[in-house]
Amino acid sequence: MAIKIIDKRCLDDDNLAKTFREISILKSLHHPHITRLYEVMESSRSIYLVTEYATNGEIFDHLVTNGRMKEEEASRIFSQLVSAVDFCHRKGVVHRDLKAENVLLDAEMNIKVVICTLSSLNINYLMSLLAR
């Protein structure tokens, strides 16, 4: 498990709202290629997010260390990434910061997309679903 500690004293009201939006988004996303939020704890000064830990770190670092992937591995990784992004979009979530630093690798070298505070609920999309 990984713990993300957020110092509430460093956040203005807007950024605190973004943080709670991240928490809400993470709670709703259960997919094998998205980091899972297990627990949220809050004190007067901090918010603690207990999330899934990806033992092999960022895919960015993997590429820097190992160079280009073979086509078979790249195809598998890309398929997992598309699956995770499609799942988010079907849930009305737009990532808005998808980059190699936000894609982690677990022990089996499968990806885990990190959902961060720049994620956003697509309100127009959600409203269209409600209107159906």
Side-chain angles (χ1 to χ4, degrees), residues 42-97:
E42 185 177 2
S43 70
S44 60
R45 295 180 179 184
S46 301
I47 301 169
Y48 304 90
L49 304 177
V50 181
T51 64
E52 183 174 12
Y53 179 68
T55 57
N56 282 310
E58 295 175 4
I59 199 167
F60 178 84
D61 293 331
H62 175 76
L63 292 169
V64 168
T65 301
N66 300 300
R68 296 171 59 171
M69 292 179 180
K70 293 184 179 177
E71 185 175 347
E72 184 178 301
E73 181 185 16
S75 176
R76 183 181 62 79
I77 294 290
F78 185 71
S79 177
Q80 292 174 1
L81 182 60
V82 168
S83 175
V85 171
D86 178 60
F87 178 80
C88 287
H89 289 180
R90 283 188 278 126
K91 292 283 191 175
V93 174
V94 179
H95 193 286
R96 294 178 24 179
D97 195 31

Side-chain angles (χ1 to χ4, degrees), residues 90-121:
R90 283 188 278 126
K91 292 283 191 175
V93 174
V94 179
H95 193 286
R96 294 178 24 179
D97 195 31
L98 196 57
K99 58 188 177 186
E101 292 89 339
N102 289 333
V103 178
L104 306 178
L105 295 166
D106 68 11
E108 289 80 37
M109 297 302 285
N110 293 308
I111 69 156
K112 299 287 182 175
V113 175
V114 176
I115 305 294
C116 56
T117 54
L118 293 176
S119 301
S120 176
L121 289 172

